[in-house]
Amino acid sequence: MKIDWQIKKKRGNFRPRLTYTITLESFEKKLAIHAVQVESHIPMIPGSHLSYCLPGEHERSPSWKPDRYHVFQVPYFKDGYTDGFIRLPFKDSGHYPEVVSSFKKLREAYEKKVRSVYACPPIEQTGSLGISEDTRSQIASGVTADRLLSLFG
């Protein structure tokens, strides 16, 4: 699985925008792994439809405490690709270590599942059953007699 992301923010009171793509490798798609999802460390922000956050409002309010977090999910194995974007909370520092830690959390959960599923080896079985020796011995004389009669009849 490959995860690529970018954080961009305009100058001023604009919120940063996280865009990301998650792409499965071909061998991962062939494993048919059920989608894995994790709760990220990235808080959902109030008024997330707004591209800006003024001082004292929403996440820039001294009383704001995050109570919900975004969920990241590995793409469905038949698609093998997903993308998305999240408006991040405004931070004066411009540092977002929760983005890296969230993607690492997703990767670790997914790789655990990959190792578990990969441990289930492929199998191929064939078989054949014929008449049992017990039945053969019980009906042998009748079958032989029928065959002999069919030669003369």
Side-chain angles (χ1 to χ4, degrees), residues 61 89 109 130 141:
S61 167
S141 60

Side-chain angles (χ1 to χ4, degrees), residues 45-61:
I45 53 177
S48 62
H49 63 286
L50 300 172
S51 63
Y52 60 89
C53 183
L54 300 175
E57 293 183 355
H58 305 297
E59 71 269 21
R60 293 176 80 182
S61 167

Side-chain angles (χ1 to χ4, degrees), residues 63-128:
S63 63
W64 182 70
K65 298 265 189 266
D67 59 351
R68 296 182 324 168
Y69 295 84
H70 289 276
V71 172
F72 284 139
Q73 182 170 322
V74 173
Y76 182 53
F77 72 91
K78 286 189 177 185
D79 298 331
Y81 175 85
T82 191
D83 60 6
F85 87 93
I86 296 172
R87 278 202 175 80
L88 298 173
F90 185 97
K91 289 184 182 180
D92 290 328
S93 70
H95 296 291
Y96 293 90
E98 63 271 25
V99 171
V100 175
S101 67
S102 296
F103 284 128
K104 282 183 178 180
K105 183 179 179 181
L106 179 65
R107 182 188 67 190
E108 288 166 7
Y110 181 67
E111 286 182 354
K112 182 178 179 183
K113 183 76 82 161
V114 168
R115 288 189 298 271
S116 170
V117 170
Y118 197 78
C120 301
I123 62 168
E124 184 175 325
Q125 296 178 352
T126 58
S128 178

Side-chain angles (χ1 to χ4, degrees), residues 12-23:
N13 289 315
F14 289 96
R15 290 171 163 157
R17 180 181 165 114
L18 166 67
T19 56
Y20 63 91
T21 61
I22 303 173
T23 309

Side-chain angles (χ1 to χ4, degrees), residues 11 31 34 37 44 60 71 90 93 95 98 137 146 153:
R11 183 176 304 278
L31 293 174
H34 189 294
Q37 65 180 27
M44 292 182 154
R60 293 176 80 182
V71 172
F90 185 97
S93 70
H95 296 291
E98 63 271 25
S137 66
D146 287 344

